[in-house]
Amino acid sequence: MDTPPPPPPPPVNWDALDALVLDFARSDRLLLPLASPSPVSSPSSSSTTTATSSSSCAPSSSSSYRSRLLIRRARRALEEGDVDAALALLRAHAPGALLDHRLLFHLHKQRFVELVRRDTEADREAALDCLRTALAPCALDAYPEAYEEFKHILLVLLYDKDDQSSPVANEWSIKKRFELAGLLSSILRAHLQAYDPILSMALRYLISIHKLLCSRQGISSPISDLTEQLLFDDRDPPAVPQECSLEAPPFDEVDVQALAHAVELTRQGAVDSLKFAKGDLFQAFQNELCRMKLDLPLLDKLVHEYCIYRGIVEGAFHVLPGVESNNQNNDNDVNFIHKQETNTETRIECEMTNNQNEDCSTSDIAHHGSWSRRLRRVRSNTSGQRRRKRWRGRVDDLDYACETSLDANKHAILYSGLDMDEDDMAVKVDFMADSGLSDARYNQDQKYEVILEMRDLTRKGMASKVVEEINNMDPDFFLQNPILLFQLKQVEFLKLVASGDHVAALKVASTHLGPLAASNQALLKPLKETLVTLIQPCEDVLTNSVSLPVLASSLQVRLMFGFCKLLASGIGLQSQFNEFILNTLGSTVVDYNLFTICGNA
């Protein structure tokens, strides 16, 4: 007995989904800025306005990026034990955060420990000076327990850092650095209103409730590889409300319970979070979501792959994460990029010339030759047409030198990048040499290009060409997707009717539409409705009967999943990611107020 075909994918709001992904890429500067007037927009660029307008109440993209970069730099400095660098950044760019005496006390306490840890005579003197001039005065008004903690931290002067039995072994622990770095991040994020892009927060929320659901019901997650790798179990410490906020009026219990259940907090934790947010439920929800830790390099990789799949960015070659170099200018970068493009196009042209016998297979994957031949025709046919956006990767310039003391010049270098506007930021990218591209990666990019071309041909109504090309590449595709074949042949029929060629239209109906409907009763009704167009006026028959963009998107989704089966090795995580966002974000009417999603969960 034949296995029934898989159910059709859920309806996808592609505009909203592309807007979320593009907003993430732009917010974190993952795309190369345009060096020339904007080219023709990509299929998904029309949705950018949605993402932009959704953030109208938030700080500008440029200022938010600089704030998040500041937070990452301060966090890195604390994790490396350079409290002086973190304090310098705060004094220069977020002095208001230092008005929180609780935070300031923790910073001075960690600075004292780090000075003692260095164990030089000069550092010992600096540690004692820190005690007298900073730590002791701060302990008097930080919070009630601060003075007791101050007296306890003095024991660091007596016990060795390697003595695990000492009463201050916890104060010596490197873990303290990361806890303080997380606390600082939580406070700065709220103080600067530097929240992560909507996509990042939505993924945190959806993955967390997915994992919670699987845990409570005792079932295994079908996307466990994705959820376990993308979202870490630990969170940053919560920001504790200052003493002046402790007398806040009681909160609505509905709000307290909603927050507690949404992000897995105790009731007291939800109350403290609302106190820190001064009663703003949405801000408290954002604060708690951003405490969850995502694997950013992995997320960048998955978003990059999605952007290639959707035709938002180019996929001809891989962009390595770049490191800024002060010895090159923007003109050199542009020239270098142009040179790499020229080399890539030259290599493709050589392949087209030298591989007439079609013996250039780089993989033993089934039908690879057909995909490769299709791609060479795509490249030759689209030469000189619109170009998609370019991926640059995450370039945060976080690898600055952390030294004991920083003079004015070093401080200027340390945070000069924070004062740059988006258009002024130097773009430094390294491209992998074309000869260094792995066969699997190049083959993967080829197939994405072909999928995009099939989508574009479908949007143009070139259904017969699409069917021919797909059958050449994968003869089994339409056996597994008969409804798509029916819809494409329906388009071909309607085009012939619109042109007045009723004889050819009836031939398509008898050869394809009739047999497909005979084997699937659900297609009988659309078949009858299609045949009725024979007696209708020819004008606008196709436009009134079929939505070509919807059909193109459906074909793209099914081609993508079929493509994932062909490339079963190496892209399992990407397949899970695509399916996850399609089945959750994509099938949801996306409201950029995340708490609306939370309330409807």
Side-chain angles (χ1 to χ4, degrees):
M1 184 174 179
D2 295 336
T3 303
V12 175
N13 186 341
W14 285 110
D15 285 342
L17 190 54
D18 287 349
L20 287 173
V21 174
L22 198 53
D23 171 66
F24 174 82
R26 284 177 167 164
S27 296
D28 278 4
R29 304 295 186 267
L30 301 178
L31 302 176
L32 283 171
L34 297 175
S36 58
S38 176
V40 178
S41 61
S42 66
S44 59
S45 62
S46 62
S47 59
T48 307
T49 306
T50 307
T52 303
S53 62
S54 69
S55 304
S56 58
C57 60
S60 69
S61 174
S62 181
S63 63
S64 175
Y65 174 75
R66 290 199 299 269
S67 297
R68 283 183 282 118
L69 182 57
L70 164 66
I71 293 172
R72 286 197 289 270
R73 287 181 171 181
R75 182 175 194 134
R76 175 68 65 84
L78 286 180
E79 290 174 349
E80 295 178 353
D82 193 347
V83 184
D84 286 323
L87 285 169
L89 284 168
L90 295 179
R91 292 188 183 108
H93 298 285
L98 295 178
L99 297 177
D100 183 345
H101 293 170
R102 182 186 296 268
L103 172 64
L104 188 61
F105 175 72
H106 287 309
L107 289 170
H108 284 314
K109 189 166 66 168
Q110 189 64 34
R111 178 171 177 258
F112 168 72
V113 173
E114 298 301 337
L115 288 171
V116 177
R117 191 194 305 275
R118 292 168 189 166
D119 201 23
T120 66
E121 185 176 347
D123 289 324
R124 285 268 175 171
E125 289 295 329
L128 292 174
D129 183 66
C130 175
L131 282 176
R132 290 189 297 267
T133 62
L135 193 54
C138 195
L140 295 176
D141 58 0
Y143 49 93
E145 303 84 5
Y147 193 69
E148 288 300 319
E149 292 182 18
F150 166 73
K151 290 188 291 183
H152 181 73
I153 201 68
L154 294 177
L155 298 177
V156 168
L157 294 168
L158 305 180
Y159 292 94
D160 188 82
K161 60 179 178 291
D162 297 323
D163 185 357
Q164 297 301 316
S165 62
S166 75
V168 285
N170 186 51
E171 305 295 340
W172 278 119
S173 173
I174 297 297
K175 183 181 177 182
K176 274 288 186 179
R177 293 178 176 176
F178 290 85
E179 291 175 351
L180 179 57
L183 175 63
L184 176 64
S185 298
S186 297
I187 294 174
L188 282 181
R189 192 179 297 116
H191 178 74
L192 300 174
Q193 293 290 293
Y195 295 106
D196 293 332
I198 293 291
L199 175 67
S200 177
M201 289 193 286
L203 284 175
R204 287 178 170 100
Y205 173 65
L206 291 170
I207 292 177
S208 67
I209 61 174
H210 174 82
K211 293 171 70 173
L212 181 63
L213 176 67
C214 293
S215 174
R216 287 181 176 176
Q217 295 189 354
I219 59 177
S220 59
S221 169
I223 55 169
S224 58
D225 289 344
L226 174 68
T227 58
E228 295 302 326
Q229 294 186 47
L230 191 56
L231 185 66
F232 300 129
D233 290 332
D234 62 320
R235 305 183 184 187
D236 286 334
V240 181
Q242 298 185 49
E243 295 299 319
C244 60
S245 302
L246 295 181
E247 300 302 324
F251 304 110
D252 190 330
E253 187 63 24
V254 173
D255 291 345
V256 174
Q257 293 299 326
L259 183 62
H261 290 143
V263 287
E264 296 181 77
L265 293 177
T266 63
R267 184 185 181 282
Q268 186 58 48
V271 170
D272 289 341
S273 183
L274 284 168
K275 284 180 179 178
F276 180 75
K278 296 180 173 60
D280 188 328
L281 181 61
F282 180 48
Q283 183 176 334
F285 183 49
Q286 286 181 301
N287 291 339
E288 295 302 322
L289 284 179
C290 289
R291 284 177 53 212
M292 303 178 186
K293 298 179 182 178
L294 280 175
D295 187 334
L296 270 183
L298 176 59
L299 179 57
D300 290 349
K301 180 180 178 182
L302 295 173
V303 166
H304 181 207
E305 201 72 24
Y306 175 87
C307 288
I308 295 174
Y309 156 65
R310 284 292 294 158
I312 298 173
V313 303
E314 292 180 348
F317 46 81
H318 185 62
V319 180
L320 292 174
V323 177
E324 291 194 10
S325 168
N326 294 325
N327 297 326
Q328 292 180 328
N329 55 37
N330 290 340
D331 292 336
N332 291 338
D333 292 331
V334 173
N335 292 335
F336 179 72
I337 293 171
H338 178 72
K339 180 179 178 182
Q340 293 296 325
E341 289 177 341
T342 304
N343 291 342
T344 302
E345 296 299 329
T346 302
R347 182 171 64 79
I348 292 172
E349 290 174 3
C350 291
E351 286 181 354
M352 294 172 61
T353 304
N354 297 332
N355 293 313
Q356 296 299 322
N357 295 327
E358 299 172 356
D359 58 350
C360 60
S361 177
T362 61
S363 171
D364 58 356
I365 294 177
H367 313 304
H368 172 73
S370 297
W371 285 98
S372 298
R373 292 193 298 274
R374 176 68 246 168
L375 180 70
R376 288 198 294 273
R377 289 196 292 274
V378 171
R379 290 292 176 86
S380 61
N381 292 336
T382 60
S383 177
Q385 295 182 12
R386 67 169 176 83
R387 290 174 53 196
R388 294 187 288 274
K389 297 175 178 61
R390 312 221 15 172
W391 188 267
R392 79 162 186 169
R394 191 173 296 275
V395 187
D396 285 344
D397 190 25
L398 292 177
D399 296 326
Y400 56 86
C402 293
E403 302 177 6
T404 302
S405 60
L406 296 172
D407 58 27
N409 292 332
K410 290 177 181 176
H411 281 174
I413 294 173
L414 181 65
Y415 50 70
S416 59
L418 298 173
D419 297 321
M420 293 182 179
D421 290 331
E422 175 182 359
D423 296 335
D424 297 330
M425 295 182 64
V427 180
K428 310 293 180 183
V429 291
D430 294 326
F431 289 92
M432 181 183 294
D434 293 323
S435 58
L437 282 171
S438 67
D439 289 342
R441 175 71 204 195
Y442 186 68
N443 182 51
Q444 186 173 334
D445 286 348
Q446 283 183 321
K447 288 178 172 57
Y448 277 132
E449 293 287 345
V450 173
I451 291 173
L452 292 172
E453 204 238 354
M454 294 298 101
R455 180 196 65 185
D456 292 341
L457 288 177
T458 304
R459 284 179 170 175
K460 296 175 183 177
M462 301 174 67
S464 59
K465 185 68 173 176
V466 171
V467 172
E468 177 188 353
E469 294 292 347
I470 292 178
N471 279 330
N472 288 336
M473 293 182 292
D474 184 1
D476 296 331
F477 178 79
F478 286 120
L479 295 177
Q480 301 169 1
N481 298 277
I483 295 179
L484 273 178
L485 178 60
F486 179 90
Q487 292 172 330
L488 288 168
K489 285 300 177 181
Q490 184 184 32
V491 170
E492 184 180 351
F493 173 89
L494 294 172
K495 284 191 68 175
L496 291 169
V497 171
S499 66
D501 192 347
H502 294 81
V503 175
L506 285 173
K507 184 177 180 180
V508 170
S510 60
T511 306
H512 299 284
L513 297 179
L516 286 169
S519 60
N520 188 340
Q521 294 295 315
L523 296 177
L524 280 176
K525 182 178 178 180
L527 174 61
K528 296 174 184 178
E529 294 173 349
T530 302
L531 292 175
V532 170
T533 60
L534 288 169
I535 62 174
Q536 294 177 351
C538 296
E539 295 81 7
D540 301 326
V541 167
L542 180 60
T543 304
N544 296 332
S545 303
V546 178
S547 173
L548 291 178
V550 172
L551 176 57
S553 294
S554 299
L555 177 65
Q556 184 186 10
V557 171
R558 296 317 307 167
L559 279 173
M560 187 271 289
F561 288 130
F563 159 44
C564 288
K565 293 176 183 177
L566 289 177
L567 290 180
S569 60
I571 62 167
L573 203 62
Q574 182 65 43
S575 175
Q576 287 187 13
F577 177 75
N578 286 344
E579 189 167 5
F580 178 72
I581 60 175
L582 291 180
N583 291 332
T584 52
L585 289 176
S587 58
T588 302
V589 178
V590 177
D591 186 337
Y592 287 93
N593 182 333
L594 271 180
F595 210 84
T596 299
I597 302 177
C598 169
N600 295 332

